[in-house]
Amino acid sequence: MVEVSRTVPAPPEAVFEVLADGWSYSGWVVGSCHIRDVDASWPQPGARIHHSVGGWPLQLEDTTVVLAVEPGVSLELEARGGALGTARIELSLVPDGAGGTTVRMAERVTGGMGGLLPESVQALALGPRNRESLARLAALTLGRWRGTGEGQP
């Protein structure tokens, strides 16, 4: 399992608000280029985001499904990317004691071509990708949170 983390200077509820907006995923998940549909029940278990992965014209259409959720605390997903593989992603939100949140993202490729690679090789691609995803998640969170006036000094 490849794990990265980032501290976001906003409370867990603000970070989870972005996670709970399935339409925002192409804005922070590196590789997801287009959200085609989001189940109305997102982010409840079993709900799906219907997304496209990759660059045009070589896009794969697939889904991400919620496996488990604890609002404001954690979200567990299974992302499908066609022949590229299936991955289990665990996002956890931990208050840092200073009003911020440490976001932990752990990902394990569970199937497809990506699953054939040794974990050390997977880490070479997933580590930088997921660090960038968390940087984008932090930016979206701060933009929304500050936009509400709650994140203003």
Side-chain angles (χ1 to χ4, degrees):
M1 184 163 286
V2 178
E3 184 176 318
V4 298
S5 65
R6 181 181 187 96
T7 299
V8 180
E13 299 78 23
V15 178
F16 192 80
E17 184 178 307
V18 177
L19 297 177
D21 176 5
W23 291 101
S24 76
Y25 274 57
S26 63
W28 68 269
V29 176
V30 174
S32 174
C33 61
H34 177 69
I35 304 301
R36 300 185 322 277
D37 194 20
V38 178
D39 291 357
S41 59
W42 184 270
Q44 297 305 308
R48 296 176 191 279
I49 293 175
H50 305 266
H51 55 76
S52 300
V53 177
W56 184 88
L58 303 173
Q59 292 179 343
L60 298 171
E61 294 185 350
D62 225 318
T63 59
T64 292
V65 62
V66 176
L67 300 175
V69 62
E70 188 173 344
V73 177
S74 64
L75 183 64
E76 187 175 342
L77 307 168
E78 181 179 75
R80 298 178 181 134
L84 296 176
T86 302
R88 180 174 234 135
I89 300 111
E90 298 170 10
L91 294 149
S92 62
L93 312 176
V94 179
D96 71 357
T101 304
T102 299
V103 181
R104 181 184 67 86
M105 181 179 193
E107 182 171 1
R108 180 178 63 244
V109 178
T110 58
M113 292 187 309
L116 300 174
L117 299 172
E119 191 170 316
S120 59
V121 174
Q122 291 179 29
L124 292 174
L126 293 178
R129 174 185 168 269
N130 290 349
R131 278 190 288 281
E132 176 61 22
S133 290
L134 290 185
R136 293 177 185 189
L137 176 63
L140 278 174
T141 299
L142 291 174
R144 287 184 183 197
W145 188 56
R146 289 180 178 154
T148 67
E150 292 182 48
Q152 300 299 323

